[in-house]
Amino acid sequence: MQTEIVKGTDITYEYVHYDENGKVDFSETALRGVSLDVRPGQFIAILGHNGSGKSTLAKQINALLLPSTGTMVVDGHDTKDASKLWDIRQTAGMVFQNPDNQIIASVVEEDVGFGPENMGVPTKEIWHRVKRSLKAVGMWEKRGESPNRLSGGQKQRVAIAGVMAMEPKCIILDEPTAMLDPGGRKEVIDAALELNRERGITVILITHYMEEVIKADRVLVMDRGKVVLTGTPREVFSKVELLRKYRLSVPQVTQLGFELQKAGLDLPDGILTIQELVTELKRLRGGSDGNQD
Amino acid sequence: MGIRIEHLSYIYNEGTTFSKTALSDINLTIADGEFIGVIGHTGSGKSTLVQHLNGLNIPTSGKIYVDGKDIHKEKESLRSLKSKVGLVFQYPEHQLFESDVLKDVMFGPRNQGLSDSEAMMRAREALRLVGLDESVEKKSPFDLSGGQKRRAAIAGILAMEPSVLVLDEPTAGLDPKGRDEILDLTAELHEKKGISVILVSHSMEDVANYVSRIIVMDEGKILYDDTPEKVFVHVKELEAVGLAAPEMVYVMKALREEGFDVDYSADTVDLARREILGALAGKNRKC
């Protein structure tokens, strides 16, 4: 009886480079024994430096890449089983970094309908899905517009709607906010959270922005092809010095809490939000408005 | 080397149905040795503006003066301008193309008419400046890591010895350490070589940490042009145009609402730490 929607066991992956004669020139190991369990409805975040293997791992989940050794099982299907490829891709949809590389139609609603149409969904049902998906990401009003007139954040939300319309159980977002302004980043992260919380879709978010993962159920930290740290956001972000070693950082509020701790203030580890910090500082201010929190 | 922009407007596809005003009536003076941040939502005109600084975009109307000279008056001034103002595009590593790193960095100075040996000296110097040592010189640029590629691309611009360096979102897609490395490098070039730096960024925190003046763009116009402390006071207005204040400004705001005596303008972790310690020490003096 398996309950995980994504179960990776001891996965290694090698990128093999060939010379002009088709002989193996050299190979690079991108994943070194990664195991991963994601239960349905979880919000998982993956952090790691450039080249740590995050995207390689993400591409294993919808069978864009297959493990060199080890296994990846998605919704009960081994990704090595070629006959199940389309089931796997339908279960796990991906959104990439650059919105301009994944939008293909000249009108927003047609772009969102492209995926289900390819899957052979009946026309009436396609429109139904397009409407539901665009509403979910707050882009229904823009359905008749040309995607190239949208902002970066809006384009990414259209891309997410396009994946949603295929009704995947799991959406993998690979640095979806890297090219966006602060407003666009917030739109995309809010849309992902909404899909997770309101519709129970499993979300796997890969990002370089530490503050985007504080609402995740679990955070995985990758370093040189391995998962080196895993836990709740609070557990992970309590390890300020260790994360720095892995070329990462912590959200600025967490950093501030850490610096204040070092300066002698009696604060708990891993403060994640402004509200938590304010509450703790009120406690420390003590005296008249003391410990009521 | 000063830059002066007068009544600059720029319209994409002028005279067609796709005509779009990207910049309207921009007036701006940039003094020698400044470190400026340009922020604005996607499509606000940031990139269009900085691409005017080295003559890449030609104004629909208005004038640009570099060192007092109108850059579009004579062909010659436009040519020398490309050496004076170095522009690093978004994802500059996509423009690496040579068979090895050294050759790639030599491309610019060679185009400036320098001999191979001079170009090589410039290239080596630029590579050392960005922290890439001899071992990468003979490597294919495509075998470098993401952060290294970006530094190699920046070296390609530095090898032309510009006195103004314009970087369009130089940290996009990099991990936190990579972001710090690129920004520290920029600050070092600014301090040690006296290069003026214009940094286009989507990270309010980075801008707060590094620059001394911020230009906020919205709908092709300059919304604010001031010091970071004065710009980031306008939290509501910034949010309305798709931006935000650095996280620390929100911390300071929340603390003030709870009666802590802290200053709004603390926009970096270091300043915020000092403000909080100061406020607590004030309160606890009697203990």
Side-chain angles (χ1 to χ4, degrees):
Chain A
M1 174 82 196
Q2 69 114 76
T3 50
E4 292 87 0
I5 183 155
V6 176
K7 187 170 178 60
T9 312
D10 211 15
I11 296 172
T12 64
Y13 185 78
E14 293 203 25
Y15 283 101
V16 181
H17 298 255
Y18 297 92
D19 64 14
E20 299 94 275
N21 305 318
K23 289 206 179 117
V24 175
D25 194 6
F26 63 99
S27 64
E28 288 169 273
T29 308
L31 297 177
R32 305 163 192 268
V34 173
S35 294
L36 170 78
D37 293 324
V38 182
R39 286 193 303 278
Q42 278 193 315
F43 191 120
I44 303 285
I46 304 179
L47 301 175
H49 59 83
N50 292 112
S52 61
K54 303 182 299 292
S55 295
T56 308
L57 177 61
K59 287 175 185 151
Q60 308 277 337
I61 300 173
N62 76 340
L64 280 173
L65 297 175
L66 301 174
S68 301
T69 66
T71 54
M72 173 62 89
V73 177
V74 177
D75 203 19
H77 306 303
D78 190 323
T79 56
K80 280 188 178 133
D81 182 353
S83 69
K84 296 291 183 205
L85 185 63
W86 295 109
D87 293 322
I88 290 165
R89 297 255 165 96
Q90 237 164 284
T91 304
M94 267 189 98
V95 176
F96 296 96
Q97 187 178 116
N98 187 345
D100 291 316
N101 291 349
Q102 43 196 332
I103 286 181
I104 38 100
S106 54
V107 180
V108 166
E109 58 186 359
E110 284 176 16
D111 191 83
V112 176
F114 180 81
E117 190 180 5
N118 258 2
M119 288 158 48
V121 174
T123 312
K124 214 175 145 195
E125 168 70 10
I126 294 178
W127 288 114
H128 191 61
R129 290 190 185 188
V130 167
K131 185 171 179 179
R132 204 168 34 192
S133 309
L134 281 172
K135 282 200 162 161
V137 298
M139 289 295 292
W140 177 238
E141 288 72 35
K142 303 272 184 189
R143 63 189 175 278
E145 294 202 18
S146 161
N148 62 35
R149 299 193 80 97
L150 301 177
S151 74
Q154 291 173 330
K155 282 184 203 168
Q156 272 309 42
R157 280 146 71 198
V158 170
I160 293 173
V163 170
M164 254 193 86
M166 296 192 275
E167 301 198 332
K169 293 179 187 163
C170 173
I171 294 184
I172 303 140
L173 301 126
D174 191 357
E175 290 190 51
T177 60
M179 302 180 77
L180 305 183
D181 56 43
R185 284 210 294 272
K186 188 169 182 309
E187 286 169 12
V188 169
I189 296 303
D190 286 351
L193 276 167
E194 162 109 17
L195 295 184
N196 179 254
R197 303 276 146 91
E198 304 299 321
R199 285 155 205 268
I201 296 175
T202 309
V203 172
I204 299 175
L205 171 70
I206 294 174
T207 183
H208 282 319
Y209 290 102
M210 303 300 129
E211 57 284 356
E212 289 177 0
V213 314
I214 59 173
K215 287 180 183 157
D217 297 313
R218 197 152 55 92
V219 180
L220 270 69
V221 178
M222 294 193 65
D223 180 59
R224 282 172 282 179
K226 282 187 176 154
V227 174
V228 288
L229 188 59
T230 165
T232 62
R234 195 180 307 282
E235 286 162 359
V236 168
F237 287 138
S238 296
K239 304 197 162 67
V240 179
E241 305 281 8
L242 184 64
L243 288 172
R244 196 169 295 153
K245 213 181 89 195
Y246 297 134
R247 298 181 59 89
L248 300 176
S249 60
V250 296
Q252 280 208 323
V253 177
T254 315
Q255 183 71 34
L256 177 60
F258 177 73
E259 301 282 342
L260 289 170
Q261 234 182 6
K262 275 205 304 199
L265 296 193
D266 175 26
L267 294 171
D269 288 343
I271 286 177
L272 294 180
T273 65
I274 293 175
Q275 201 41 56
E276 282 173 41
L277 181 70
V278 171
T279 306
E280 289 296 333
L281 289 174
K282 272 164 75 183
R283 178 181 60 79
L284 286 181
R285 183 166 60 181
S288 54
D289 59 344
N291 290 326
Q292 76 267 42
D293 292 305
Chain B
M1 193 183 62
I3 297 177
R4 196 167 87 245
I5 296 176
E6 287 180 356
H7 303 293
L8 167 64
S9 293
Y10 187 76
I11 303 170
Y12 281 106
N13 301 312
E14 198 188 9
T16 74
T17 47
F18 300 106
S19 158
K20 185 178 185 288
T21 304
L23 296 174
S24 55
D25 200 29
I26 301 279
N27 292 287
L28 195 62
T29 306
I30 297 169
D32 229 357
E34 281 201 89
F35 198 149
I36 299 180
V38 181
I39 60 177
H41 62 86
T42 351
S44 61
K46 306 181 298 289
S47 297
T48 309
L49 175 63
V50 298
Q51 284 167 10
H52 276 88
L53 299 178
N54 77 340
L56 200 61
N57 282 337
I58 298 166
T60 305
S61 64
K63 297 245 183 287
I64 300 163
Y65 299 92
V66 174
D67 273 342
K69 274 189 214 149
D70 181 344
I71 61 169
H72 292 290
K73 214 161 179 191
E74 329 157 35
K75 270 231 165 82
E76 209 34 54
S77 65
L78 203 54
R79 177 181 279 270
S80 66
L81 181 68
K82 309 257 188 215
S83 315
K84 285 183 197 158
V85 182
L87 181 58
V88 179
F89 287 100
Q90 287 173 31
Y91 294 86
E93 62 274 21
H94 293 173
Q95 299 164 52
L96 296 168
F97 68 99
E98 270 284 9
S99 54
D100 68 49
V101 171
L102 187 63
K103 277 190 202 151
D104 201 284
V105 178
M106 282 168 65
F107 180 80
R110 258 185 190 151
N111 259 3
Q112 289 176 303
L114 296 184
S115 70
D116 273 9
S117 63
E118 283 173 306
M120 193 180 291
M121 264 172 51
R122 289 266 198 100
R124 291 215 153 111
E125 202 184 325
L127 284 167
R128 294 307 100 80
L129 267 176
V130 301
L132 293 175
D133 63 25
E134 238 166 276
S135 67
V136 304
E137 286 181 1
K138 288 290 157 208
K139 276 194 183 173
S140 160
F142 306 102
D143 287 340
L144 303 180
S145 74
Q148 284 178 324
K149 272 188 206 167
R150 193 152 304 175
R151 279 186 272 164
I154 294 174
I157 301 293
L158 291 176
M160 296 192 281
E161 299 195 339
S163 38
V164 179
L165 183 64
V166 183
L167 301 124
D168 197 351
E169 289 183 48
T171 60
L174 295 184
D175 58 45
K177 182 88 185 301
R179 290 207 286 263
D180 290 348
E181 284 169 0
I182 293 286
L183 291 169
D184 287 346
L185 163 69
T186 314
E188 199 182 309
L189 290 169
H190 174 251
E191 270 164 38
K192 290 199 182 144
K193 303 217 109 196
I195 297 178
S196 311
V197 177
I198 299 169
L199 174 73
V200 178
S201 177
H202 277 327
S203 166
M204 305 302 120
E205 285 75 22
D206 288 349
V207 169
N209 270 333
Y210 288 90
V211 310
S212 49
R213 173 181 170 194
I214 296 179
I215 294 168
V216 184
M217 298 288 298
D218 179 46
E219 309 274 318
K221 294 193 177 112
I222 294 176
L223 186 63
Y224 298 111
D225 178 356
D226 218 324
T227 59
E229 302 77 57
K230 287 190 177 147
V231 167
F232 287 136
V233 170
H234 304 281
V235 179
K236 285 248 150 53
E237 291 84 351
L238 289 170
E239 286 176 353
V241 297
L243 300 173
E247 203 173 352
M248 288 303 118
V249 171
Y250 294 99
V251 174
M252 292 298 110
K253 213 171 150 221
L255 285 172
R256 278 186 75 92
E257 277 161 17
E258 292 293 343
F260 283 86
D261 181 23
V262 291
D263 192 341
Y264 257 138
S265 68
D267 52 9
T268 64
V269 172
D270 197 38
L271 289 173
R273 181 183 62 94
R274 277 187 241 167
E275 283 298 320
I276 291 171
L277 292 175
L280 285 175
K283 283 279 170 196
N284 291 336
R285 209 167 292 147
K286 57 181 187 288
C287 315

